[in-house]
Amino acid sequence: MTGKRELILGIESSCDDTAIALVDREGNVLGAEVATQELIHGAHGGVYPEFASRAHARSIIPAISKVLEVSGVTHKDLRAIGVTRGPGLIGSLMVGLHAASGLGLGWGVPVIGVNHLRGHLRSADLEQRRVTYPAVILLVSGGHTFLAHMESPTEVRMLGTTRDDSVGEAYDKVARMLGLGYPGGPAIDRLAATGTANISFPRPMMGEALDFSFSGLKSSVARYLEKNRDPIVADVAASFVRACLDVLIAKSRAALTANKSSALIIVGGVAASPQLRAEAKSLTDEMGVDLCLPPLKWATDNGAMIALAAWDYVELGHYPAPIAQTRIPLSMM
Ligand code: KG4
Ligand code: ZN
């Protein structure tokens, strides 16, 4: 590299993966590394916060060194470091923030505390510009489910959000009830593809504006499993997925109808679901708008989306301090 300071180093450690990436202003990813904690948390059926922080502390510096080395980049090529400041688990966030602050100080590179949700919002533009504005965006992750309207990459207006569980959380909890382990989303998807959606679970808040609620659906699956001791688990998974998709697609349709948009963007871990991708394609074809999806590897948490969001902050001249904020609204940069 030339030492022209044209890259951002993205650091994401808000939950259970230590993810690092180098991204240029166009969203090209020059190098990326993920130290996954699947094996650590798999044994517990969910994320164990103290184990997560310890694993981040072990992996973060080796992961950063590896990305720089493999990409042939030094700190002289860095315009900034973008690091997730929240929302997330406090201990996990602190590891990323301290690593970023120390490196920034030592290297003389500015450090930007990025809102994790802003990272997801920008993930569909990684590797290639896909998004056309104005757009409706559906974010479906483990921590959040909401619909928003975007006039531009940085102008976002919330349309509706979940009153309780996120859809990813419901996937994970139902996966645990079915004995599928953690993380549950991909396992539920695979099982659902082999079953029939013949159980009528509720479609929560179907008629109520653009807000979501998935807790009742999850409880309804639990009650079904209590009453039916020998269920066909593939049919339970298929019926659960059917109910989730019906809600997500109906609300996306309503949001597109009510808000001038040329695209539907779907981001977050559940955007890796092949069923959701296929149904969103039918919806956007029918409505004559573009469907913008992140490549599969950038749908779940990653460092590249944090780096791309950090480029927006650089452009706005807004450098939030790398200080943990476990809850940050989407409206905040
Ligand atoms: O965006 P993400 O990586 O983390 C958060 O910011 O929360 O999302 C994680 C969520 C988990 O609930 C996981 O089960 C779900 O995304 N997920 C999936 C799939 N891959 C991950 N859900 C459905 N289908 C998938 N293929
Ligand atoms: Zn996330």
Side-chain angles (χ1 to χ4, degrees):
M1 283 244 108
T2 56
K4 272 170 52 196
R5 298 189 175 257
E6 53 204 352
L7 298 172
I8 288 189
L9 177 71
I11 301 178
E12 154 58 34
S13 72
S14 65
C15 188
D16 60 344
D17 282 329
T18 322
I20 312 295
L22 278 167
V23 174
D24 70 12
R25 184 62 198 109
E26 274 61 59
N28 298 305
V29 185
L30 277 84
E33 181 68 21
V34 180
T36 170
Q37 300 180 6
E38 245 178 71
L39 285 176
I40 298 170
H41 303 298
H44 304 279
V47 178
Y48 204 109
E50 177 62 16
F51 290 166
S53 324
R54 290 178 191 211
H56 285 304
R58 275 195 303 276
S59 331
I60 196 157
I61 296 297
I64 293 170
S65 306
K66 187 169 170 195
V67 168
L68 293 174
E69 200 182 309
V70 170
S71 319
V73 163
T74 77
H75 66 270
K76 298 199 178 87
D77 302 307
L78 298 181
R79 176 73 180 75
I81 298 172
V83 56
T84 302
R85 74 177 196 277
L89 300 170
I90 181 75
S92 294
L93 291 169
M94 295 297 276
V95 176
L97 289 161
H98 283 297
S101 301
L103 291 172
L105 194 64
W107 290 341
V109 172
V111 181
I112 303 170
V114 175
N115 180 342
H116 179 87
L117 299 173
R118 293 279 175 166
H120 276 301
L121 293 192
R122 302 292 276 111
S123 59
D125 263 344
L126 283 165
E127 290 174 359
Q128 171 192 329
R129 291 282 150 149
R130 299 180 186 82
V131 178
T132 50
Y133 295 100
V136 163
I137 185 157
L138 171 68
L139 184 144
V140 276
S141 73
H144 297 83
T145 297
F146 63 70
L147 275 160
H149 188 253
M150 295 176 76
E151 281 293 336
S152 74
T154 54
E155 293 168 284
V156 192
R157 180 170 50 90
M158 186 67 96
L159 298 174
T161 186
T162 177
R163 303 256 176 104
D164 41 55
D165 291 1
S166 71
V167 65
E169 205 173 337
Y171 266 75
D172 291 337
K173 288 178 178 164
V174 168
R176 201 182 315 172
M177 292 175 208
L178 297 178
L180 300 177
Y182 170 87
I188 289 261
D189 271 341
R190 280 192 297 273
L191 186 62
T194 67
T196 309
N198 53 10
I199 308 162
S200 74
F201 292 131
R203 270 71 173 150
M205 304 191 63
M206 203 55 147
E208 292 169 64
L210 298 176
D211 280 342
F212 300 91
S213 159
F214 289 98
S215 162
L217 170 58
K218 172 198 71 189
S219 307
S220 162
V221 175
R223 279 195 301 276
Y224 180 88
L225 292 173
E226 270 164 31
K227 280 196 209 129
N228 298 273
R229 289 293 168 175
D230 194 15
I232 301 172
V233 286
D235 291 354
V236 177
S239 307
F240 164 75
V241 167
R242 185 69 268 141
C244 291
L245 293 185
D246 281 354
V247 173
L248 295 175
I249 295 295
K251 302 256 172 189
S252 299
R253 180 194 302 278
L256 286 167
T257 306
N259 296 275
K260 187 172 170 291
S261 332
S262 59
L264 173 66
I265 314 169
I266 307 185
V267 296
V270 184
S273 154
Q275 289 99 319
L276 177 57
R277 287 179 168 242
E279 300 209 6
K281 181 79 180 77
S282 309
L283 172 68
T284 50
D285 283 351
E286 175 199 321
M287 300 202 65
V289 298
D290 297 336
L291 175 63
C292 310
L293 298 167
L296 280 184
K297 68 193 281 201
W298 310 127
T300 46
D301 287 350
N302 63 82
M305 68 184 197
I306 299 303
L308 185 56
W311 274 113
D312 295 338
Y313 291 78
V314 168
E315 222 150 71
L316 294 172
H318 174 57
Y319 287 65
I323 295 173
Q325 262 181 291
T326 52
R327 289 169 185 273
I328 319 180
L330 171 75
S331 56
M332 200 180 271
M333 278 300 288

